[in-house]
Short mmCIF file of all heavy atoms in Angstrom, two decimals:
data_model
loop_
_atom_site.label_atom_id
_atom_site.label_comp_id
_atom_site.label_asym_id
_atom_site.label_seq_id
_atom_site.Cartn_x
_atom_site.Cartn_y
_atom_site.Cartn_z
N MET A 127 217.04 23.26 17.55
CA MET A 127 218.41 22.82 17.23
C MET A 127 218.57 21.38 17.00
O MET A 127 219.27 20.93 16.10
CB MET A 127 219.32 23.38 18.31
CG MET A 127 220.81 23.13 18.03
SD MET A 127 221.27 24.19 16.61
CE MET A 127 222.98 24.18 16.82
N GLY A 128 217.89 20.59 17.89
CA GLY A 128 217.95 19.15 17.75
C GLY A 128 217.33 18.64 16.44
O GLY A 128 217.94 17.76 15.77
N LEU A 129 216.24 19.24 16.04
CA LEU A 129 215.62 18.83 14.74
C LEU A 129 216.53 19.20 13.58
O LEU A 129 216.58 18.48 12.63
CB LEU A 129 214.24 19.50 14.64
CG LEU A 129 213.42 19.06 13.41
CD1 LEU A 129 213.20 17.56 13.36
CD2 LEU A 129 212.06 19.82 13.35
N VAL A 130 217.17 20.31 13.66
CA VAL A 130 218.10 20.76 12.56
C VAL A 130 219.31 19.69 12.46
O VAL A 130 219.64 19.31 11.32
CB VAL A 130 218.62 22.13 12.82
CG1 VAL A 130 219.66 22.47 11.80
CG2 VAL A 130 217.47 23.18 12.75
N LEU A 131 219.86 19.32 13.55
CA LEU A 131 220.96 18.40 13.55
C LEU A 131 220.43 17.05 13.06
O LEU A 131 221.09 16.38 12.28
CB LEU A 131 221.53 18.23 14.94
CG LEU A 131 222.47 19.37 15.38
CD1 LEU A 131 222.77 19.19 16.91
CD2 LEU A 131 223.75 19.38 14.66
N SER A 132 219.31 16.64 13.53
CA SER A 132 218.76 15.33 13.07
C SER A 132 218.40 15.36 11.62
O SER A 132 218.61 14.38 10.85
CB SER A 132 217.49 15.01 13.88
OG SER A 132 217.82 14.85 15.25
N GLY A 133 217.84 16.46 11.15
CA GLY A 133 217.52 16.53 9.76
C GLY A 133 218.76 16.58 8.85
O GLY A 133 218.77 16.00 7.77
N SER A 134 219.77 17.24 9.30
CA SER A 134 221.03 17.21 8.62
C SER A 134 221.66 15.83 8.53
O SER A 134 222.21 15.38 7.52
CB SER A 134 222.06 18.21 9.28
OG SER A 134 221.58 19.50 9.26
N GLY A 135 221.51 15.10 9.65
CA GLY A 135 222.00 13.73 9.66
C GLY A 135 221.18 12.85 8.66
O GLY A 135 221.76 12.00 8.08
N ALA A 136 219.92 13.13 8.59
CA ALA A 136 219.07 12.40 7.57
C ALA A 136 219.50 12.74 6.22
O ALA A 136 219.47 11.85 5.26
CB ALA A 136 217.65 12.72 7.82
N LEU A 137 219.84 13.97 5.92
CA LEU A 137 220.32 14.30 4.57
C LEU A 137 221.65 13.70 4.19
O LEU A 137 221.89 13.40 3.01
CB LEU A 137 220.44 15.82 4.47
CG LEU A 137 219.18 16.62 4.35
CD1 LEU A 137 219.49 18.15 4.39
CD2 LEU A 137 218.35 16.21 3.18
N PHE A 138 222.48 13.43 5.16
CA PHE A 138 223.78 12.83 4.96
C PHE A 138 223.89 11.37 5.28
O PHE A 138 225.00 10.89 5.57
CB PHE A 138 224.86 13.64 5.72
CG PHE A 138 225.07 15.01 5.24
CD1 PHE A 138 224.62 16.11 5.89
CD2 PHE A 138 225.69 15.25 3.97
CE1 PHE A 138 224.88 17.36 5.46
CE2 PHE A 138 225.93 16.48 3.47
CZ PHE A 138 225.46 17.57 4.22
N THR A 139 222.82 10.59 5.27
CA THR A 139 222.85 9.24 5.56
C THR A 139 223.70 8.37 4.60
O THR A 139 224.28 7.42 5.05
CB THR A 139 221.38 8.58 5.58
OG1 THR A 139 220.81 8.81 4.36
CG2 THR A 139 220.61 9.11 6.69
N LEU A 140 223.78 8.79 3.36
CA LEU A 140 224.61 8.05 2.46
C LEU A 140 226.14 8.31 2.66
O LEU A 140 226.95 7.51 2.26
CB LEU A 140 224.20 8.37 1.01
CG LEU A 140 222.81 7.94 0.60
CD1 LEU A 140 222.52 8.32 -0.76
CD2 LEU A 140 222.62 6.40 0.88
N LEU A 141 226.48 9.41 3.28
CA LEU A 141 227.84 9.64 3.70
C LEU A 141 227.91 9.16 5.13
O LEU A 141 227.74 9.86 6.03
CB LEU A 141 228.24 11.09 3.62
CG LEU A 141 228.13 11.77 2.21
CD1 LEU A 141 228.30 13.27 2.41
CD2 LEU A 141 229.14 11.17 1.34
N CYS A 142 228.19 7.92 5.28
CA CYS A 142 227.98 7.10 6.49
C CYS A 142 228.36 7.83 7.80
O CYS A 142 227.53 7.99 8.67
CB CYS A 142 228.67 5.79 6.38
SG CYS A 142 228.39 4.88 4.88
N SER A 143 229.55 8.20 7.92
CA SER A 143 230.02 8.68 9.23
C SER A 143 229.45 10.09 9.41
O SER A 143 229.18 10.48 10.55
CB SER A 143 231.55 8.72 9.25
OG SER A 143 232.09 9.54 8.17
N VAL A 144 229.21 10.87 8.37
CA VAL A 144 228.71 12.24 8.59
C VAL A 144 227.30 12.19 9.07
O VAL A 144 226.86 12.95 9.96
CB VAL A 144 228.80 12.99 7.22
CG1 VAL A 144 228.14 14.41 7.40
CG2 VAL A 144 230.19 13.16 6.75
N GLY A 145 226.49 11.27 8.55
CA GLY A 145 225.14 11.08 9.06
C GLY A 145 225.06 10.74 10.43
O GLY A 145 224.24 11.26 11.29
N ILE A 146 225.85 9.82 10.93
CA ILE A 146 225.86 9.44 12.36
C ILE A 146 226.38 10.54 13.24
O ILE A 146 225.87 10.80 14.29
CB ILE A 146 226.76 8.16 12.56
CG1 ILE A 146 226.07 6.98 11.84
CG2 ILE A 146 226.97 7.87 14.01
CD1 ILE A 146 226.93 5.71 11.87
N ILE A 147 227.46 11.25 12.78
CA ILE A 147 228.03 12.30 13.50
C ILE A 147 226.98 13.49 13.72
O ILE A 147 226.97 14.11 14.79
CB ILE A 147 229.24 12.89 12.81
CG1 ILE A 147 230.40 11.87 12.94
CG2 ILE A 147 229.71 14.18 13.44
CD1 ILE A 147 231.62 12.14 12.11
N LEU A 148 226.13 13.70 12.83
CA LEU A 148 225.09 14.74 12.99
C LEU A 148 223.81 14.23 13.66
O LEU A 148 223.19 14.97 14.45
CB LEU A 148 224.75 15.29 11.58
CG LEU A 148 225.74 16.13 10.91
CD1 LEU A 148 225.34 16.43 9.48
CD2 LEU A 148 226.10 17.37 11.64
N ALA A 149 223.48 12.99 13.40
CA ALA A 149 222.13 12.44 13.91
C ALA A 149 222.23 12.23 15.47
O ALA A 149 221.27 12.49 16.11
CB ALA A 149 221.82 11.17 13.26
N ILE A 150 223.31 11.62 15.99
CA ILE A 150 223.40 11.29 17.39
C ILE A 150 223.33 12.55 18.26
O ILE A 150 222.52 12.57 19.20
CB ILE A 150 224.61 10.47 17.64
CG1 ILE A 150 224.35 9.07 17.01
CG2 ILE A 150 224.89 10.31 19.18
CD1 ILE A 150 225.54 8.12 17.15
N PRO A 151 224.06 13.62 18.02
CA PRO A 151 223.93 14.79 18.76
C PRO A 151 222.48 15.40 18.66
O PRO A 151 221.92 15.98 19.55
CB PRO A 151 224.93 15.82 18.32
CG PRO A 151 225.95 14.98 17.70
CD PRO A 151 225.23 13.73 17.09
N GLY A 152 221.87 15.30 17.49
CA GLY A 152 220.49 15.73 17.28
C GLY A 152 219.49 15.01 18.15
O GLY A 152 218.65 15.66 18.75
N VAL A 153 219.71 13.72 18.33
CA VAL A 153 218.82 12.97 19.27
C VAL A 153 219.09 13.38 20.66
O VAL A 153 218.15 13.52 21.40
CB VAL A 153 219.10 11.40 19.08
CG1 VAL A 153 218.42 10.60 20.12
CG2 VAL A 153 218.70 10.96 17.71
N ILE A 154 220.32 13.58 21.06
CA ILE A 154 220.63 13.94 22.43
C ILE A 154 220.01 15.33 22.73
O ILE A 154 219.36 15.52 23.79
CB ILE A 154 222.12 13.97 22.64
CG1 ILE A 154 222.70 12.49 22.55
CG2 ILE A 154 222.48 14.60 23.97
CD1 ILE A 154 224.21 12.42 22.48
N VAL A 155 220.24 16.33 21.89
CA VAL A 155 219.72 17.63 22.12
C VAL A 155 218.22 17.64 22.10
O VAL A 155 217.53 18.28 22.97
CB VAL A 155 220.31 18.63 21.08
CG1 VAL A 155 219.56 19.97 21.10
CG2 VAL A 155 221.76 18.82 21.20
N SER A 156 217.59 16.88 21.21
CA SER A 156 216.16 16.71 21.20
C SER A 156 215.54 16.11 22.42
O SER A 156 214.56 16.48 22.99
CB SER A 156 215.70 16.02 19.89
OG SER A 156 216.01 16.70 18.79
N ALA A 157 216.29 15.09 22.91
CA ALA A 157 215.83 14.44 24.14
C ALA A 157 215.87 15.27 25.32
O ALA A 157 215.04 15.29 26.19
CB ALA A 157 216.65 13.12 24.31
N ILE A 158 216.94 16.09 25.38
CA ILE A 158 217.08 17.06 26.53
C ILE A 158 215.89 18.09 26.40
O ILE A 158 215.36 18.41 27.45
CB ILE A 158 218.46 17.74 26.47
CG1 ILE A 158 219.54 16.72 26.84
CG2 ILE A 158 218.50 18.91 27.42
CD1 ILE A 158 220.92 17.24 26.65
N GLY A 159 215.70 18.62 25.26
CA GLY A 159 214.60 19.61 25.06
C GLY A 159 213.26 19.02 25.38
O GLY A 159 212.39 19.68 26.06
N TRP A 160 213.05 17.79 24.91
CA TRP A 160 211.73 17.07 25.19
C TRP A 160 211.54 16.86 26.71
O TRP A 160 210.52 17.06 27.22
CB TRP A 160 211.70 15.80 24.41
CG TRP A 160 210.34 15.12 24.53
CD1 TRP A 160 209.22 15.54 23.98
CD2 TRP A 160 210.08 13.95 25.13
NE1 TRP A 160 208.17 14.71 24.27
CE2 TRP A 160 208.73 13.64 24.94
CE3 TRP A 160 210.87 12.97 25.85
CZ2 TRP A 160 208.17 12.47 25.43
CZ3 TRP A 160 210.26 11.83 26.28
CH2 TRP A 160 208.90 11.65 26.17
N SER A 161 212.62 16.45 27.37
CA SER A 161 212.55 16.17 28.80
C SER A 161 212.27 17.41 29.61
O SER A 161 211.43 17.49 30.50
CB SER A 161 213.86 15.53 29.30
OG SER A 161 213.92 15.39 30.65
N LYS A 162 212.98 18.52 29.25
CA LYS A 162 212.77 19.77 29.99
C LYS A 162 211.36 20.33 29.72
O LYS A 162 210.73 20.85 30.68
CB LYS A 162 213.88 20.79 29.61
CG LYS A 162 215.16 20.48 30.18
CD LYS A 162 216.18 21.57 29.94
CE LYS A 162 217.46 21.24 30.62
NZ LYS A 162 218.39 22.35 30.69
N SER A 163 210.90 20.27 28.52
CA SER A 163 209.56 20.81 28.25
C SER A 163 208.49 19.95 28.85
O SER A 163 207.50 20.41 29.37
CB SER A 163 209.27 20.89 26.70
OG SER A 163 209.29 19.68 26.12
N ARG A 164 208.71 18.64 29.00
CA ARG A 164 207.79 17.75 29.65
C ARG A 164 207.69 17.97 31.11
O ARG A 164 206.65 17.97 31.73
CB ARG A 164 208.10 16.31 29.28
CG ARG A 164 207.08 15.35 29.70
CD ARG A 164 207.28 13.91 29.11
NE ARG A 164 206.33 13.06 29.59
CZ ARG A 164 206.34 11.74 29.47
NH1 ARG A 164 207.29 11.23 28.91
NH2 ARG A 164 205.32 11.09 29.99
N SER A 165 208.84 18.18 31.76
CA SER A 165 208.84 18.51 33.17
C SER A 165 208.21 19.81 33.51
O SER A 165 207.79 20.02 34.63
CB SER A 165 210.27 18.42 33.71
OG SER A 165 211.08 19.50 33.20
N SER A 166 208.20 20.76 32.47
CA SER A 166 207.58 22.05 32.70
C SER A 166 206.03 21.96 32.41
O SER A 166 205.34 22.96 32.73
CB SER A 166 208.19 23.09 31.74
OG SER A 166 209.53 23.23 32.09
N GLY A 167 205.64 20.85 31.94
CA GLY A 167 204.19 20.69 31.66
C GLY A 167 203.75 21.07 30.30
O GLY A 167 202.61 21.17 29.99
N PHE A 168 204.73 21.20 29.31
CA PHE A 168 204.41 21.59 27.98
C PHE A 168 204.65 20.37 27.00
O PHE A 168 205.51 19.53 27.36
CB PHE A 168 205.26 22.72 27.44
CG PHE A 168 204.92 23.99 28.30
CD1 PHE A 168 205.86 24.49 29.25
CD2 PHE A 168 203.82 24.72 28.05
CE1 PHE A 168 205.56 25.59 29.95
CE2 PHE A 168 203.56 25.89 28.72
CZ PHE A 168 204.43 26.33 29.69
N LYS A 169 203.96 20.38 25.91
CA LYS A 169 204.24 19.36 24.91
C LYS A 169 205.11 19.94 23.88
O LYS A 169 204.93 21.10 23.42
CB LYS A 169 202.92 18.89 24.26
CG LYS A 169 202.07 18.10 25.19
CD LYS A 169 200.88 17.63 24.50
CE LYS A 169 200.00 16.83 25.51
NZ LYS A 169 198.86 16.19 24.87
N ASN A 170 206.15 19.25 23.46
CA ASN A 170 207.14 19.77 22.46
C ASN A 170 207.19 18.79 21.32
O ASN A 170 208.01 17.85 21.26
CB ASN A 170 208.50 19.96 23.16
CG ASN A 170 209.40 20.74 22.31
OD1 ASN A 170 209.23 20.92 21.14
ND2 ASN A 170 210.53 21.19 22.95
N GLY A 171 206.41 19.03 20.31
CA GLY A 171 206.37 18.16 19.16
C GLY A 171 207.60 18.24 18.28
O GLY A 171 208.02 17.27 17.62
N VAL A 172 208.25 19.44 18.32
CA VAL A 172 209.42 19.59 17.53
C VAL A 172 210.56 18.74 18.06
O VAL A 172 211.36 18.11 17.33
CB VAL A 172 209.89 21.05 17.46
CG1 VAL A 172 211.18 21.27 16.76
CG2 VAL A 172 208.75 21.93 16.75
N ALA A 173 210.68 18.69 19.38
CA ALA A 173 211.69 17.87 20.02
C ALA A 173 211.52 16.42 19.82
O ALA A 173 212.39 15.63 19.51
CB ALA A 173 211.80 18.15 21.47
N LEU A 174 210.17 15.97 19.89
CA LEU A 174 209.86 14.58 19.60
C LEU A 174 210.15 14.18 18.16
O LEU A 174 210.71 13.14 17.89
CB LEU A 174 208.40 14.34 19.91
CG LEU A 174 207.91 12.91 19.80
CD1 LEU A 174 208.65 12.03 20.67
CD2 LEU A 174 206.42 12.82 20.07
N ALA A 175 209.92 15.15 17.20
CA ALA A 175 210.19 14.91 15.80
C ALA A 175 211.74 14.81 15.68
O ALA A 175 212.25 13.98 14.83
CB ALA A 175 209.67 15.98 14.96
N GLY A 176 212.52 15.61 16.37
CA GLY A 176 213.94 15.47 16.26
C GLY A 176 214.49 14.14 16.77
O GLY A 176 215.45 13.59 16.21
N ILE A 177 213.84 13.66 17.88
CA ILE A 177 214.26 12.31 18.38
C ILE A 177 213.95 11.24 17.28
O ILE A 177 214.79 10.37 17.02
CB ILE A 177 213.49 11.98 19.64
CG1 ILE A 177 213.95 12.94 20.74
CG2 ILE A 177 213.74 10.59 20.04
CD1 ILE A 177 213.12 12.88 21.97
N ILE A 178 212.78 11.28 16.67
CA ILE A 178 212.38 10.26 15.75
C ILE A 178 213.22 10.42 14.45
O ILE A 178 213.80 9.35 14.02
CB ILE A 178 210.87 10.43 15.37
CG1 ILE A 178 210.09 10.09 16.61
CG2 ILE A 178 210.50 9.53 14.23
CD1 ILE A 178 208.59 10.49 16.52
N VAL A 179 213.41 11.57 13.91
CA VAL A 179 214.18 11.71 12.71
C VAL A 179 215.62 11.37 12.95
O VAL A 179 216.29 10.74 12.11
CB VAL A 179 214.05 13.22 12.16
CG1 VAL A 179 215.03 13.51 11.04
CG2 VAL A 179 212.65 13.45 11.68
N GLY A 180 216.22 11.83 14.07
CA GLY A 180 217.58 11.54 14.32
C GLY A 180 217.82 10.01 14.59
O GLY A 180 218.89 9.50 14.18
N GLY A 181 216.97 9.40 15.27
CA GLY A 181 217.03 7.90 15.43
C GLY A 181 217.03 7.14 14.09
O GLY A 181 217.80 6.20 13.89
N ALA A 182 216.13 7.57 13.22
CA ALA A 182 215.97 6.95 11.97
C ALA A 182 217.28 7.25 11.05
O ALA A 182 217.72 6.34 10.40
CB ALA A 182 214.75 7.42 11.25
N ALA A 183 217.70 8.48 11.16
CA ALA A 183 218.89 8.81 10.35
C ALA A 183 220.17 8.11 10.89
O ALA A 183 220.97 7.57 10.10
CB ALA A 183 219.19 10.34 10.48
N ALA A 184 220.28 7.91 12.22
CA ALA A 184 221.41 7.19 12.75
C ALA A 184 221.35 5.76 12.34
O ALA A 184 222.34 5.12 12.02
CB ALA A 184 221.42 7.34 14.26
N ALA A 185 220.08 5.14 12.38
CA ALA A 185 219.95 3.69 12.00
C ALA A 185 220.27 3.52 10.49
O ALA A 185 220.99 2.57 10.11
CB ALA A 185 218.56 3.26 12.33
N LEU A 186 219.79 4.43 9.66
CA LEU A 186 220.08 4.28 8.21
C LEU A 186 221.55 4.51 7.88
O LEU A 186 222.07 3.94 7.04
CB LEU A 186 219.21 5.23 7.42
CG LEU A 186 217.71 4.94 7.38
CD1 LEU A 186 216.91 6.07 6.69
CD2 LEU A 186 217.48 3.56 6.67
N SER A 187 222.14 5.43 8.62
CA SER A 187 223.61 5.66 8.41
C SER A 187 224.41 4.46 8.84
O SER A 187 225.35 4.05 8.16
CB SER A 187 224.05 6.94 9.21
OG SER A 187 223.49 8.06 8.68
N LEU A 188 224.03 3.82 9.93
CA LEU A 188 224.70 2.64 10.41
C LEU A 188 224.54 1.44 9.44
O LEU A 188 225.48 0.74 9.10
CB LEU A 188 224.22 2.26 11.74
CG LEU A 188 224.94 1.13 12.51
CD1 LEU A 188 226.38 1.45 12.65
CD2 LEU A 188 224.31 0.80 13.80
N ILE A 189 223.33 1.37 8.87
CA ILE A 189 223.09 0.29 7.89
C ILE A 189 223.90 0.57 6.60
O ILE A 189 224.51 -0.35 6.07
CB ILE A 189 221.55 0.19 7.58
CG1 ILE A 189 220.89 -0.38 8.73
CG2 ILE A 189 221.31 -0.62 6.29
CD1 ILE A 189 219.33 -0.26 8.61
N SER A 190 223.93 1.80 6.18
CA SER A 190 224.74 2.11 5.00
C SER A 190 226.22 1.95 5.22
O SER A 190 226.95 1.51 4.32
CB SER A 190 224.40 3.52 4.44
OG SER A 190 225.00 4.49 5.24
N LEU A 191 226.62 2.17 6.46
CA LEU A 191 228.05 1.97 6.80
C LEU A 191 228.42 0.49 6.78
O LEU A 191 229.46 0.09 6.24
CB LEU A 191 228.33 2.58 8.14
CG LEU A 191 229.77 2.49 8.69
CD1 LEU A 191 230.67 3.34 7.82
CD2 LEU A 191 229.87 2.93 10.12
N ILE A 192 227.53 -0.34 7.28
CA ILE A 192 227.71 -1.78 7.23
C ILE A 192 227.72 -2.30 5.82
O ILE A 192 228.65 -3.10 5.39
CB ILE A 192 226.70 -2.48 8.12
CG1 ILE A 192 226.90 -2.17 9.60
CG2 ILE A 192 226.68 -3.95 7.91
CD1 ILE A 192 225.76 -2.56 10.53
N VAL A 193 226.77 -1.93 4.99
CA VAL A 193 226.71 -2.38 3.65
C VAL A 193 227.90 -1.92 2.82
O VAL A 193 228.46 -2.67 2.08
CB VAL A 193 225.36 -1.86 3.00
CG1 VAL A 193 225.36 -2.12 1.50
CG2 VAL A 193 224.17 -2.55 3.63
N PHE A 194 228.31 -0.65 3.02
CA PHE A 194 229.47 -0.21 2.32
C PHE A 194 230.74 -0.94 2.77
O PHE A 194 231.56 -1.29 1.96
CB PHE A 194 229.63 1.35 2.62
CG PHE A 194 230.79 1.94 1.94
CD1 PHE A 194 230.82 2.18 0.53
CD2 PHE A 194 231.97 2.32 2.66
CE1 PHE A 194 231.88 2.73 -0.06
CE2 PHE A 194 233.08 2.87 2.00
CZ PHE A 194 233.00 3.05 0.63
N GLY A 195 230.81 -1.18 4.06
CA GLY A 195 231.98 -1.97 4.50
C GLY A 195 232.03 -3.37 3.97
O GLY A 195 233.10 -3.88 3.58
N LEU A 196 230.92 -4.04 3.96
CA LEU A 196 230.83 -5.34 3.36
C LEU A 196 231.18 -5.39 1.84
O LEU A 196 231.82 -6.27 1.37
CB LEU A 196 229.44 -5.98 3.58
CG LEU A 196 229.12 -6.36 5.01
CD1 LEU A 196 227.69 -6.85 5.08
CD2 LEU A 196 230.10 -7.34 5.55
N ASN A 197 230.68 -4.34 1.10
CA ASN A 197 231.01 -4.22 -0.31
C ASN A 197 232.49 -3.97 -0.51
O ASN A 197 233.08 -4.49 -1.44
CB ASN A 197 230.17 -3.17 -0.96
CG ASN A 197 228.73 -3.62 -1.22
OD1 ASN A 197 228.45 -4.84 -1.22
ND2 ASN A 197 227.83 -2.69 -1.25
N MET A 198 233.07 -3.16 0.30
CA MET A 198 234.48 -2.91 0.13
C MET A 198 235.33 -4.10 0.48
O MET A 198 236.33 -4.42 -0.11
CB MET A 198 234.94 -1.67 1.05
CG MET A 198 234.41 -0.35 0.61
SD MET A 198 234.90 0.03 -1.10
CE MET A 198 236.66 0.24 -0.85
N ARG A 199 234.85 -4.90 1.46
CA ARG A 199 235.65 -6.18 1.76
C ARG A 199 235.50 -7.08 0.60
O ARG A 199 236.56 -7.75 0.33
CB ARG A 199 234.98 -6.76 3.02
CG ARG A 199 235.77 -7.96 3.52
CD ARG A 199 235.08 -8.67 4.62
NE ARG A 199 233.93 -9.30 4.03
CZ ARG A 199 233.01 -9.97 4.68
NH1 ARG A 199 233.08 -10.16 5.97
NH2 ARG A 199 231.96 -10.54 4.07
N ASP A 200 234.42 -7.15 -0.05
CA ASP A 200 234.30 -8.05 -1.21
C ASP A 200 235.16 -7.57 -2.39
O ASP A 200 235.74 -8.43 -3.14
CB ASP A 200 232.82 -8.16 -1.66
CG ASP A 200 231.97 -8.93 -0.66
OD1 ASP A 200 232.56 -9.68 0.18
OD2 ASP A 200 230.78 -8.77 -0.73
N LEU A 201 235.23 -6.29 -2.54
CA LEU A 201 236.06 -5.77 -3.65
C LEU A 201 237.58 -5.91 -3.47
O LEU A 201 238.31 -6.11 -4.40
CB LEU A 201 235.72 -4.30 -3.84
CG LEU A 201 234.33 -3.94 -4.41
CD1 LEU A 201 234.16 -2.42 -4.42
CD2 LEU A 201 234.11 -4.52 -5.79
N THR A 202 238.02 -5.87 -2.23
CA THR A 202 239.45 -5.93 -1.97
C THR A 202 239.91 -7.39 -1.78
O THR A 202 241.10 -7.66 -1.84
CB THR A 202 239.72 -5.17 -0.66
OG1 THR A 202 239.04 -5.68 0.40
CG2 THR A 202 239.55 -3.72 -0.83
N GLY A 203 238.98 -8.28 -1.60
CA GLY A 203 239.33 -9.71 -1.57
C GLY A 203 239.65 -10.09 -0.26
O GLY A 203 240.28 -10.74 0.42
#
């Protein structure tokens, strides 16, 4: 579930707020899954991938939000 949310956030990085809204819960869910599987003694590559993809998607969404905001400020004067 975390990888799906993170991946959806990555798809919507250009829609600034939608990417962040999907990526951050994806990172949280993936981190919980990774923590629980690690405490059980199992490796969970899917949860780790969800953390990585979600973090990258959130960062790119934040960057696009900043760039879009700066461009809108320049256009409005």
